[in-house]
């Protein structure tokens, strides 16, 4: 059993089963001076009767990959991983994680580890209850990702939630975690003697790792290599798990790990392939959220369901022929499914994505559709065999279908123009959040906007996602196009089409922007010792210059202020959290202004110089009728984003949608006092400008790219430029980008730009009341108090309950005075 952590102290009384200790850091010690590695090892294989590990007879190999200051580098992990492969470990536990799934040296080395038949178990992360916060490597399909529950079988508040975000925008995330295990108040070994309890996915992971060690031991040595591998072990765990009644699939995965059930599966196991999850049932709510929250209907964007193929037959496998949909009744023929999938299944796992549409002849159908999807998988013959191993995987579907809703109740969410970390350094929307400044939660309807999605469904709206350019949807089918917190640019064809859609086709447009200030962005620049390069935000909270280009035909533009403060509208108390102002707006529209403090770099300087002035009225909400369409613009997105939201503005969103989709005008929003009797105007040269020192094409799906409709569009425009632009083509190949066949967009890492190594990870413990980010536990400390050091970098992901008392700029200044290093394994590479 390999444990990659902070090490284990020599001659520890709880461990007479330590086979070897190795140090891969730049510190000259093998000892664990923090207590994290010792505790994790104790949960797996501790031998003290008071806190006995799950598998106390397991041989422990302790790999010290974190320093006493919680510093680690990708290169240290790579060296240690190579040694683990060379010594032929059976099981490896990683109670660490980070948001960077594009650190390809690390990710590919994990693939190499599992390809060498090493079963890897890893903590999913402690960024719950936020969605889309899965940590790498636990989010990799070949790794057993573990979430945490309490003793009441509730998902622990700190446990990270899915879905995975590698596949966004054209695909849909995978189900993770794989399983959950007890992760609150777990007993384990102290650094010296005795026992203590800790909480976090850091301790849920070794619970599963200990269970895996026990399961390994039930397979006789003489046929262990034939049966036991990362694929078969994951099959045993997910098929044996007990599904919990409350949480959804992106919270619990397959459910609570069950040692006895998994034992029975492995005891009679025959090599085979399977699908996880094996069922999608729209009647099974809340487990099948978000699918069960919105039925299918004709004319919608494809609903994408992404499952994992688990191949216990061999490290490599192949899909023999395209998957097949087998409806169980005549109504099932109304369902059209296109498939994207892994032609090559390696190592041990692949993906199968279902793109589901109801055919046009089902526009009035109401009812259920049932059936199954089958896919045949084969692997090369095992040693001593002559014929390939073959297996048929089955996915059961039970779908709910309703007649196509009226146009006014259909909302299209723009996913395509969202950029996040990785690969870019995208700053947090609210600059008041000091301990989590990266915008890395996926920005998706079903991740950090999942509460908003549920609210819209409760209000009767149907919400679809567009991961392709604006040319790829038919505006006549939608009441409102919803643009929230977008960072990318726009194709010229998109801007032309949107103008026509609003003015001539009656499309409603609702825009929620965010801050953008070049001076403030430059203040957030810093040098990263891990990548030996300067990092700088590639844009602000949103890309205001791009939004201004998009809104220019309507006479609307946002400014570069960063406004903060409380205000009341329609009797609702709201917080404006690092939002921007409206600086151009046409006569005849309705504009709402409130007094705010401008905290941008230029605004703060102005307030200091004019010390007598504090707040000034700034326009933040505008509503306008243009031709046959209606537009609403608001300068802040924090009130819709469940990550670090101060106050929600769902009430405002509903009133905006009432206006944009149905021309229902709230008397407060459309009062005579807010009507503009003259045009609000500034010269174009006073509008926020783009930075010229950033190669935006590195992060953008627009700049230097070709306009193409992806596999998340309606089937009839896949691989084209969109409606009325039916010209087939391929994405232009650029340095650092894979050439993508637009006829078949795969949701694998091959779609993702290659970048330099710079992944940093943090130790996945959770505790409240921490005195310091450098400390891991709320319990009595086993080590002297440390001076905070290398952890103060923007790539760090927050630990629950922590309050950083310094501003980001102070953090940056302090960091310059510290010695070289990074405090966790994860960094945004520019």
């Amino acid at each position: 059993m390999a444990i990659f952590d902070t090490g284990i102290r020599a001659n520890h009384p709880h461990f007479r089963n330590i086979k070897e200790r190795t140090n891969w850091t730049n510190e000259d010690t093998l000892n664990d001076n923090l207590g994290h590695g010792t505790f994790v090892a104790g949960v797996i294989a501790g031998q003290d009767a008071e806190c006995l590990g799950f598998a106390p007879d397991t041989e422990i190999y302790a790999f010290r990959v974190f320093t006493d200051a919680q510093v680690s580098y990708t290169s240290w992990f790579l060296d240690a991983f190579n040694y683990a492969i060379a010594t032929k470990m059976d099981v490896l536990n990683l109670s660490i994680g980070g948001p960077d799934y594009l650190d390809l040296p690390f990710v590919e080395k994990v693939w190499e580890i599992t390809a060498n038949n090493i079963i890897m178990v890893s903590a999913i992360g402690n960024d719950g209850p936020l969605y889309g916060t899965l940590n790498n490597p636990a989010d990799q399909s070949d790794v057993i990702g573990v979430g945490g529950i309490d003793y009441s079988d509730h998902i622990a508040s700190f446990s990270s939630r899915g879905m995975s975000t590698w596949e966004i925008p054209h695909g849909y995330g995978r189900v993770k975690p794989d399983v959950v295990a007890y992760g609150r108040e777990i007993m384990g070994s102290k650094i010296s003697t005795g026992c203590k309890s800790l909480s976090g996915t850091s301790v849920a992971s070794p619970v599963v790792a200990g269970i895996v060690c026990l399961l390994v031991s039930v397979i006789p040595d003489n046929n262990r290599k034939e049966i036991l591998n990362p694929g078969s072990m994951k099959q045993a765990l997910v098929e044996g798990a007990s599904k919990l009644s409350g949480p959804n699939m992106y919270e619990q995965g397959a459910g609570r790990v069950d040692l006895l059930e998994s034992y029975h599966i492995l005891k009679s196991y025959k090599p085979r392939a399977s699908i996880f999850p094996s069922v999608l049932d729209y009647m099974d709510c809340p487990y099948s959220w978000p699918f069960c929250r919105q039925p299918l209907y004709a004319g919608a964007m494809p609903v994408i369901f992404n499952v994992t193929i688990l191949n216990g037959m061999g490290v490599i496998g192949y899909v023999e022929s395209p998957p097949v949909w087998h409806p169980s009744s005549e109504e099932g023929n109304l369902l059209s499914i296109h498939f994207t999938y892994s032609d090559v299944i390696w190592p041990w796992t692949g993906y199968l994505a279902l793109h589901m549409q109801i055919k046009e002849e089902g526009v009035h159908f109401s009812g259920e559709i049932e059936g199954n999807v089958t896919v045949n998988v084969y692997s090369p013959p095992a040693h001593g065999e002559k014929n390939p191993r073959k297996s048929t995987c089955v996915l059961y579907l039970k779908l709910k279908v309703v007649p196509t809703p009226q146009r006014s109740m259909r909302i299209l969410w723009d996913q395509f123009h969202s950029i996040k970390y990785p690969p870019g350094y995208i700053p947090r929307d609210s600059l008041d959040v000091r301990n989590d400044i990266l915008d890395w939660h996926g920005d998706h309807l079903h991740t950090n906007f999942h509460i908003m999605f549920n609210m819209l469904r409760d209000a009767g709206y149907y919400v679809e996602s567009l991961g392709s350019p604006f040319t790829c949807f038919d505006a006549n089918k939608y009441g409102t196009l919803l643009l929230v917190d977008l960072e990318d640019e726009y194709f010229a064809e998109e801007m032309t089409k949107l103008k026509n859609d609003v003015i001539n086709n009656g499309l409603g447009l609702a825009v929620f922007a965010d801050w953008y200030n070049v001076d403030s962005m430059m203040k957030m620049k810093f040098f990263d010792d891990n990548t030996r390069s300067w990092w700088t935000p590639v844009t602000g909270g949103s890309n205001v210059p791009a939004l201004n280009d998009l809104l220019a035909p309507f006479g609307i533009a946002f400014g570069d202020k960063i406004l903060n403060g409380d205000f009341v509208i329609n009797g609702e108390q709201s917080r404006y959290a690092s939002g921007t102002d409206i600086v151009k707006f046409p006569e005849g529209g309705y504009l709402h202004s409130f007094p705010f403090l401008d905290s941008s770099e230029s605004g703060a300087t102005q307030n200091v110089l004019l010390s007598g002035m504090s707040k000034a009225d700034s326009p933040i909400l505008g509503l306008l009728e243009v031709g046959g369409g209606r537009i609403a613009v608001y300068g802040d997105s924090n009130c819709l984003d469940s990550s670090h939201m101060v106050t929600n503005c769902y009430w405002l969103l509903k009133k905006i949608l009432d206006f944009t989709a149905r021309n229902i005008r709230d008397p407060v929003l459309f009062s005579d006092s807010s009507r503009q009797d003259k045009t609000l105007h500034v010269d174009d040269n006073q509008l926020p400008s783009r930075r010229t020192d950033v190669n935006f094409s590195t992060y953008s799906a627009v700049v230097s790219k070709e306009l193409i409709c992806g596999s998340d569009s309606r089937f009839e425009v896949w691989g084209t430029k969109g409606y009325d632009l039916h010209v087939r083509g391929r994405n232009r190949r650029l340095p650092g980008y894979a050439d993508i066949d637009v006829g078949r967009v795969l949701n694998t890492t091959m779609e993702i730009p290659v970048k330099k190594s710079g992944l940093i990870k943090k130790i996945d413990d959770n505790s409240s009341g921490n005195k310091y980010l450098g400390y891991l536990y709320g319990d009595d400390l086993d080590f002297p108090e440390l001076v905070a050091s290398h952890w103060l970098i923007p790539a760090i992901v927050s630990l629950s309950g922590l309050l950083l008392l310094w501003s980001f700029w102070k953090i940056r200044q302090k960091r310059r005075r510290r010695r070289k290093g990074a405090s966790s394994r994860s960094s945004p590479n520019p």
Side-chain angles (χ1 to χ4, degrees):
M1 173 78 224
I3 298 170
F4 284 67
D5 219 296
T6 55
I8 302 177
R9 205 196 72 185
N11 303 316
H12 194 289
H14 291 191
F15 303 102
R16 294 178 296 277
N17 49 351
I18 299 176
K19 188 74 173 178
E20 185 179 23
R21 297 186 306 146
T22 53
N23 174 38
W24 304 91
T25 73
N26 58 7
E27 292 182 341
D28 188 19
T29 179
L30 287 165
N31 282 334
D32 172 20
N33 296 315
L34 296 178
H36 190 268
T38 301
F39 187 91
V40 167
V43 173
I44 297 171
Q47 295 178 326
D48 186 287
E50 294 299 316
C51 48
L52 192 65
F54 276 80
D57 294 331
T58 297
E59 290 182 338
I60 296 175
Y61 291 76
F63 291 74
R64 189 174 189 266
V65 289
F66 278 89
T67 67
D68 290 346
Q70 303 176 42
V71 176
S72 186
Y73 289 95
T74 296
S75 60
W76 296 352
F77 273 90
L78 299 184
D79 291 341
F81 283 158
N82 283 333
Y83 187 67
I85 293 171
T87 49
K88 298 181 179 180
M89 296 293 163
D90 291 312
V91 184
L92 189 155
N93 184 79
L94 282 177
S95 289
I96 58 98
D100 192 345
Y101 51 77
L102 285 185
D103 184 19
L104 294 187
F106 183 88
V107 169
E108 291 174 354
K109 186 58 67 173
V110 170
W111 289 340
E112 185 181 344
I113 282 178
T114 58
N116 276 274
N117 216 27
I118 298 174
I119 299 166
M120 182 180 284
V121 184
S122 185
I124 208 72
N126 292 328
D127 296 290
L130 305 182
Y131 279 63
T133 55
L134 303 173
N135 280 232
N136 180 265
D139 63 346
Q140 294 184 214
S141 59
D142 55 321
V143 175
I144 298 166
V146 182
I149 57 174
D150 60 25
Y151 291 117
S152 299
D153 282 349
H154 298 136
I155 301 296
S157 58
F158 54 76
S159 187
S160 289
R161 272 69 165 168
M163 60 188 186
S164 63
T165 56
W166 295 37
E167 303 80 0
I168 294 173
H170 293 300
Y172 190 83
R174 287 164 284 115
V175 174
K176 280 278 184 170
D178 296 297
V179 291
V180 291
Y182 295 118
R184 190 180 288 282
E185 300 300 320
I186 302 299
M187 295 299 295
S189 304
K190 281 187 176 182
I191 252 183
S192 51
T193 59
C195 305
K196 66 175 186 177
S197 66
L198 288 179
S199 299
T201 56
S202 239
V203 296
S205 180
V207 167
V208 173
I211 287 173
V212 167
C213 289
L214 290 177
L215 292 173
V216 168
S217 69
V218 307
I219 309 297
D221 288 340
N222 59 346
N223 63 345
R224 183 172 292 174
K225 290 184 178 180
E226 299 173 15
I227 293 178
L228 199 63
N229 58 60
S232 61
M233 180 59 72
K234 184 177 281 193
Q235 286 173 324
L237 290 175
V238 299
E239 292 169 15
S242 301
K243 190 169 78 173
L244 306 178
S245 60
N248 64 56
M249 64 176 77
Y250 298 107
E251 294 175 313
Q252 65 167 306
R256 184 188 64 236
V257 67
D258 189 318
L259 172 61
L260 189 58
E261 288 298 321
S262 296
Y263 160 74
H264 288 306
I265 291 170
L266 269 185
K267 192 175 181 181
S268 58
Y269 183 82
K270 301 295 181 185
R272 55 182 168 81
S274 61
I275 284 176
F276 169 67
S278 60
V279 178
L280 176 61
D281 183 357
Y282 274 47
M283 307 302 120
D284 185 10
C285 244
Y287 182 77
S288 292
W289 181 95
F291 304 98
C292 62
R293 288 287 273 133
Q294 181 166 299
L296 300 175
Y297 49 87
M301 290 292 167
V303 171
I304 306 174
F305 183 51
N306 194 359
V307 298
T308 300
I309 299 173
L310 303 176
N311 182 23
M313 300 184 295
V315 64
I316 191 168
Y318 306 90
V319 174
E320 188 172 42
S321 56
V324 179
W325 160 236
H326 307 275
S328 59
S329 63
E330 189 69 25
E331 290 81 4
N333 292 316
L334 293 174
L335 177 67
S336 178
I337 309 181
H338 285 206
F339 300 97
T340 53
Y341 54 89
S342 306
D343 290 312
V344 179
I345 299 168
W346 183 90
W348 312 105
T349 61
Y351 76 89
L352 169 64
L354 284 66
H355 305 250
M356 301 180 289
Q357 284 183 190
I358 299 300
K359 298 174 183 176
E360 292 302 325
E361 52 263 40
V363 66
H364 300 299
F365 176 75
S366 179
E368 297 176 8
I369 287 177
E370 294 187 58
N372 61 65
V373 171
T374 58
V375 57
N376 295 319
V377 175
Y378 71 92
S379 286
H383 182 71
E385 297 178 350
K386 295 182 179 180
N387 298 317
R389 293 179 166 184
K390 295 188 176 183
S391 184
T392 298
C393 305
V394 181
L395 169 65
Y396 295 94
L397 298 180
K398 186 175 183 180
L399 313 172
K400 184 178 180 181
V401 182
V402 297
T404 301
Q406 58 183 329
R407 177 188 185 185
S408 63
M409 300 308 292
R410 292 177 63 180
I411 299 169
L412 188 62
W413 165 272
D414 180 9
Q415 185 63 46
F416 180 71
H417 296 95
S418 176
I419 304 177
K420 61 183 177 60
Y421 170 75
Y425 171 12
I426 309 295
R428 167 64 53 202
D429 299 323
S430 173
L431 295 180
D432 286 336
V433 179
R434 315 291 188 190
N435 61 341
D436 189 5
I437 69 160
L438 280 177
D439 189 11
W440 67 280
H441 295 154
D443 276 357
H444 191 278
L445 279 170
H446 304 146
T447 57
N448 53 320
F449 289 97
H450 69 283
I451 299 176
M452 182 198 74
F453 168 76
N454 287 339
M455 179 280 298
L456 291 173
R457 288 296 301 126
D458 290 340
Y461 286 100
Y462 293 81
V463 194
E464 303 170 35
S465 180
L466 176 68
S468 291
F470 292 162
T471 58
C472 305
F473 76 93
D474 181 357
N476 293 298
K477 296 182 180 292
Y478 299 95
T480 302
L481 174 65
L482 183 56
L483 312 183
V484 179
D485 185 26
L486 300 176
E487 298 88 8
D488 212 335
E489 297 286 330
Y490 300 88
F491 290 104
E493 296 92 334
E494 291 184 279
M495 292 187 277
T496 299
K497 179 176 182 293
L498 184 64
K499 176 183 176 182
N500 182 65
D501 284 343
V502 172
I503 295 174
N504 298 321
N505 294 327
L507 177 69
L509 179 64
V511 180
F512 284 73
D514 223 286
W515 70 271
Y516 184 96
N517 184 277
V518 173
D519 290 338
S520 297
M521 280 188 273
M522 294 305 295
K523 283 288 185 180
M524 301 171 75
K525 180 179 180 180
F526 66 92
F527 186 78
D528 172 55
D529 293 309
N530 200 15
T531 57
R532 305 300 300 170
S533 60
W534 285 94
W535 293 356
T536 184
V538 300
T539 183
S542 65
N543 190 341
V544 166
L547 285 174
N548 285 347
D549 287 349
L550 191 70
L551 296 170
F554 312 115
I556 301 173
F558 293 104
D560 65 355
K561 291 182 179 179
I562 301 179
L563 304 174
N564 290 278
D566 297 317
F567 68 100
V568 178
I569 184 171
N570 202 30
E572 295 279 353
Q573 180 80 27
S574 297
R575 167 68 62 85
Y576 210 63
S578 303
T580 190
D581 59 329
I582 298 171
V583 295
K584 293 179 73 172
F585 204 76
E587 177 186 353
Y590 294 80
L591 198 61
H592 297 265
S593 302
F594 299 94
F596 295 115
L597 184 67
D598 180 9
S599 61
S600 66
E601 188 63 22
S602 53
T605 303
Q606 181 88 354
N607 285 328
V608 170
L609 294 175
L610 304 173
S611 56
M613 300 181 64
S614 53
K615 296 183 178 181
D617 277 359
S618 297
I620 61 169
L621 171 64
L623 304 107
L624 177 70
E625 189 165 6
V626 183
R630 290 165 293 276
I631 300 174
V633 292
Y634 186 69
D636 188 24
S637 66
N638 178 265
C639 57
L640 299 179
D641 185 343
S642 58
S643 300
H644 311 299
M645 178 191 291
V646 181
T647 59
N648 78 68
C649 60
Y650 301 141
W651 63 271
L652 177 61
L653 175 61
K654 284 192 277 190
K655 292 185 182 299
I656 284 175
L657 295 174
D658 284 344
F659 168 62
T660 57
R662 296 184 283 173
N663 201 18
I664 298 174
R665 304 182 178 220
D666 181 87
V668 175
L669 298 185
F670 291 88
S671 62
D672 291 338
S673 60
S674 62
R675 182 179 172 85
Q676 289 293 104
D677 54 7
K678 63 180 180 179
T679 299
L680 178 65
H681 178 76
V682 297
D683 292 336
D684 287 347
N685 59 12
Q686 294 180 279
L687 295 177
S689 59
R690 293 171 175 84
R691 294 183 52 191
T692 58
D693 58 338
V694 172
N695 181 11
F696 202 73
S697 66
T698 305
Y699 320 101
S700 172
V702 175
V703 179
S704 299
K705 311 301 189 302
E706 187 172 349
L707 185 156
I708 290 292
C709 297
S711 56
D712 57 342
S713 328
R714 294 282 301 167
F715 297 160
E716 62 264 23
V717 297
W718 277 29
T720 74
K721 292 181 180 292
Y723 292 95
D724 301 322
L725 294 169
H726 291 265
V727 181
R728 294 195 62 82
R730 297 174 67 88
N731 281 348
R732 191 177 303 123
R733 185 165 186 170
L734 297 172
Y737 284 77
D739 192 16
I740 303 170
D741 184 347
V742 299
R744 190 153 188 271
V745 182
L746 303 180
N747 59 351
T748 68
T749 54
M750 293 306 294
E751 294 183 17
I752 302 172
V754 177
K755 68 183 186 69
K756 300 172 295 181
S757 168
L759 188 92
I760 305 165
K761 294 291 184 201
K762 66 171 171 48
I763 293 171
D764 282 326
D765 266 306
N766 179 80
S767 59
S768 59
N770 288 331
K771 297 170 61 178
Y772 233 46
L773 189 55
Y775 296 159
L776 302 173
Y777 318 128
D779 306 56
D780 293 337
L781 299 173
D782 288 329
F783 52 94
E785 292 193 2
L786 303 174
V787 176
S789 59
H790 314 15
W791 50 266
L792 295 174
I793 65 169
I796 195 72
V797 185
S798 65
L799 296 178
S800 300
L802 208 71
L803 294 176
L804 296 187
L805 304 179
W806 302 284
S807 70
F808 175 71
W809 292 274
K810 281 189 177 181
I811 288 174
R812 185 174 61 87
Q813 294 296 330
K814 285 176 178 290
R815 189 175 181 278
R816 286 180 175 172
R817 295 194 292 272
R818 296 192 180 99
R819 65 184 175 88
K820 186 173 167 183
S823 85
S824 328
R825 215 196 103 242
S826 98
S827 1
N829 281 338

